[in-house]
Every structure is written in structure tokens, then in C-alpha cells.
Amino acid sequence: MGEIWEGIGQILNSCQDLMLVAAKDGSIRAVGHKLVDSLGYTKAELLDGFKVERLLTSTSANAWDEGKIRPKAVSGELAHKDTESKNIAVEFAVTSLDDKDFSLFHARDVAERIKAERQQQDFLAHVAHELRTPLNGMIGLADGMAKSEQNKGRLKHLKMILSCGKRLSGLVEMIMDISALRDGKLQLNVIPDCQCNEICEEVFELMNTAVDKNNKPLVK
């Protein structure tokens, strides 16, 4: 049995969230190193009859409710061993294991989650900014060539390049809006009318070019 719990402990150690397995009475049977490091305990302390309730602050203790299954995450706080240290705000869920004699306690540090989300959004904003410069150059070049092009066939292709470029630019702007939405600076633009026929014509031309490669052009 000891080998089984050791194996479960290794699985919990591979996770970046705060995780443990407890028996029905709340005693901890296996614990991940992330939870051990975050709360200042040693692994031996937590596995020596330590109850999950002792890890929760008084305002969050009822959320455990003797291992009651909570598949949806609820907010709570984990108490640090050092009473002078700040409690850790978490979102945690409790899931029953197969034999139902044990429960998996899975918590995620709210501060780390917010930090990770901000890093992800900043990365997307940076990528969008870097994409916008070459896209604008492509659109500007295609627009300049279209204004001086006399051949109808080449003009048609240039207009398709312009249309695709503008659509890609619109997608980049949507990515940029994520950061604006996060910072509460998102502004909505009101479009007075929508040229449905023009949109359908653009879509037809784009799709027709792709299908025509197989010598099967679309029919309007």
C-alpha cells in the first residue's frame, strides 16, 4: 500500500497546482510538493495525521465540509504554517476517487492564475503588434499597385490580396482588443450599414479561387 501512495505522490508532484489526496475523515494521505512549498510545511508533517481542515482558514473551512464532492471550483484561502505570513487565495475543487474512500483536493493559486493570464495576454498583444507592421506594408503596396494597374485580371487578384490583408488586419485588431478589454479601455465602433452583397461577392471570389485549382469553379 505504501508503494501505491508513493506513486500517487509522484503524480501530484508533477502538477503545478496545489494538490493532495485525503481520506473521508480529512486526513492527508498524499500531497504534491507545490502545496508543501507554498504553505511552509514539510511533507512529513502533512502526512502525519494532518487534517485538510487545518489548511483552510476559518472563512473557508466549511467549503471542505468533510470531503464533500465539489466538482466546480469554489473560492477559499489556505493558511500558511507561519501565522505571520499571508494566506493564499485559491480556487479549489474536490473530486471523488474511484473507490470513493478518498478525495482529490485540487487548488489553484489565484494570484498565479492572474499572473499567467496577464502574461498570455501580453504575449498575444506583442505578437499582434509585430504582425500589424508587415500586414500594413502589404496592404499599402497592394493598394498602390491596384490604383495603377490596367490589366483587369491582375487588378482582380490585387483586390483579392487587399481583401485578405484587411481581413487579417481585422483579426489582429481583435487580438489587440483582448488587452484593451482587460484594462477596461475597449471601445465599440458603430457601423452605420453593412454591404451584404459586397461581402458575399468577396467571399465568392476567395472561395472560387481555391476551388478553381481543381478545375471545378463555383457557380453563383
Side-chain angles (χ1 to χ4, degrees):
M1 194 68 178
E3 293 180 356
I4 295 177
W5 286 115
E6 184 177 349
I8 294 175
Q10 291 177 356
I11 295 174
L12 299 183
N13 286 337
S14 66
C15 301
Q16 294 302 310
D17 292 337
L18 314 177
M19 304 183 73
L20 61 82
V21 173
K24 282 186 176 181
D25 63 356
S27 59
I28 299 173
R29 297 301 179 86
V31 61
H33 73 86
K34 183 72 174 180
L35 188 145
V36 174
D37 296 341
S38 298
L39 299 182
Y41 291 93
T42 65
K43 185 176 180 181
E45 286 178 312
L46 294 177
L47 296 179
D48 187 21
F50 204 98
K51 297 293 185 71
V52 176
E53 292 90 334
R54 292 175 58 187
L55 295 178
L56 298 168
T57 62
S58 57
T59 56
S60 308
N62 59 338
W64 168 252
D65 195 17
E66 296 183 355
K68 182 179 179 180
I69 305 306
R70 297 180 182 276
K72 293 184 178 180
V74 296
S75 298
E77 286 187 340
L78 295 180
H80 197 279
K81 179 181 179 181
D82 182 0
T83 56
E84 296 182 359
S85 299
K86 291 184 178 180
N87 297 328
I88 301 176
V90 297
E91 293 174 344
F92 71 88
V94 182
T95 308
S96 175
L97 299 183
D98 288 341
D99 57 12
K100 297 183 180 181
D101 288 330
F102 301 95
S103 298
L104 174 66
F105 178 91
H106 180 187
R108 193 173 186 186
D109 190 326
V110 173
E112 288 191 3
R113 176 178 60 80
I114 294 174
K115 180 181 178 181
E117 290 176 353
R118 179 171 289 274
Q119 289 176 337
Q120 181 185 40
Q121 292 166 356
D122 289 344
F123 172 76
L124 288 175
H126 177 74
V127 171
H129 178 74
E130 294 299 323
L131 284 173
R132 190 165 53 177
T133 300
L135 269 176
N136 288 337
M138 182 188 73
I139 293 171
L141 181 60
D143 185 50
M145 293 175 66
K147 289 178 180 178
S148 60
E149 182 57 61
Q150 301 298 321
N151 184 284
K152 290 185 178 181
R154 287 195 291 266
L155 180 60
K156 177 182 177 181
H157 291 158
L158 285 170
K159 287 183 175 180
M160 291 176 62
I161 293 174
L162 273 172
S163 176
C164 292
K166 289 177 179 179
R167 290 183 184 278
L168 280 173
S169 182
L171 289 174
V172 171
E173 291 296 333
M174 290 176 63
I175 296 175
M176 295 288 287
D177 286 342
I178 294 176
S179 296
L181 181 63
R182 178 195 66 192
D183 298 331
K185 299 178 180 179
L186 180 64
Q187 294 182 348
L188 299 179
N189 297 322
V190 179
I191 301 176
D193 54 7
C194 178
Q195 302 296 333
C196 293
N197 290 338
E198 184 178 331
I199 294 173
C200 291
E201 185 70 26
E202 288 183 6
V203 172
F204 174 83
E205 292 296 340
L206 291 173
M207 296 300 297
N208 191 45
T209 301
V211 175
D212 196 32
K213 291 179 181 178
N214 298 321
N215 299 316
K216 295 180 180 180
L218 295 175
V219 179
K220 290 186 180 180

